Amino acid sequence: MKNVFFPDEEITQDDVFYVCSLIERIARHLKQPNRYVVNCMGKRGIAEKLSLANVMHSENQQAVVERLIQEYRMQAGSFDVTNVNPDLVSHIPGEQDMGKVYMRLILSTLYSWEDYADAILRIYNDKICRTIDNYNGSAYYEPSYYLTRCYYSGTFN
């Protein structure tokens, strides 16, 4: 995928990782599912953030989150992904941990005809995210190849 602002530059896997981590950070801050954030941003917004990732990563991340919430008029919700059963979960994965999980899933399922922004929208809107984002289970700890297989089969069974 080409950078939308600098067409001579390519979007990298690191840029995808940054944007996936940013999506997670915003979603947790707002108490919204990740799909809410990506749908508010839309393809153009995601493509722009991918194109600016190499600069945005050095900014104050809380300020970036606040700026994007305002830019895309996102609203707070009540979906708290970190609200887990302490008898089942001793460690909640961090925003970057989940950014890696989603980056790997996006890269491993990327179709030849789509760009990273399309793939981000496709993955975050898939039902597999409900299972991955349920930290009372262990789906987010599964190896990337297993998550890819589950995505293509449509189930974790």
Side-chain angles (χ1 to χ4, degrees):
M1 176 178 174
K2 297 284 185 188
N3 185 307
V4 297
F5 301 111
F6 304 101
D8 293 339
E9 294 181 17
E10 289 285 332
I11 302 299
T12 68
Q13 292 181 7
D14 288 339
D15 299 330
V16 176
F17 167 63
Y18 173 78
V19 169
C20 289
S21 299
L22 181 61
I23 290 165
E24 186 75 28
R25 190 173 296 115
I26 294 168
R28 288 183 185 198
H29 180 81
L30 289 174
K31 295 191 181 343
Q32 289 280 10
N34 291 324
R35 72 179 172 279
Y36 172 80
V37 175
V38 298
N39 290 331
C40 284
M41 293 173 72
K43 180 180 177 173
R44 180 180 170 94
I46 293 168
E48 289 174 354
K49 299 320 169 238
L50 286 164
S51 297
L52 295 171
N54 61 346
V55 175
M56 291 174 60
H57 82 276
S58 62
E59 294 182 49
N60 176 306
Q61 293 306 294
Q62 188 58 38
V64 170
V65 166
E66 294 296 333
R67 185 175 70 235
L68 295 180
I69 289 170
Q70 289 179 1
E71 179 179 347
Y72 295 103
R73 296 183 182 101
M74 296 181 209
Q75 302 294 315
S78 60
F79 178 78
D80 187 358
V81 72
T82 64
N83 185 13
V84 297
N85 182 339
D87 294 333
L88 300 174
V89 181
S90 61
H91 172 74
I92 296 170
E95 294 145 352
Q96 289 187 320
D97 297 325
M98 293 310 296
K100 277 186 187 173
V101 168
Y102 278 107
M103 175 202 67
R104 290 175 181 148
L105 184 58
I106 288 161
L107 295 176
S108 69
T109 63
L110 186 67
Y111 294 111
S112 61
W113 64 83
E114 69 183 348
D115 61 25
Y116 291 137
D118 289 323
I120 288 171
L121 281 162
R122 177 178 46 81
I123 290 295
Y124 280 109
N125 279 292
D126 194 89
K127 66 181 182 178
I128 195 172
C129 294
R130 289 186 293 252
T131 305
I132 293 172
D133 290 339
N134 178 0
Y135 300 153
N136 287 314
S138 63
Y140 62 92
Y141 276 126
E142 296 294 343
S144 298
Y145 69 86
Y146 180 73
L147 290 178
T148 301
R149 193 173 75 205
C150 291
Y151 170 78
Y152 284 127
S153 70
T155 183
F156 275 88
N157 294 333

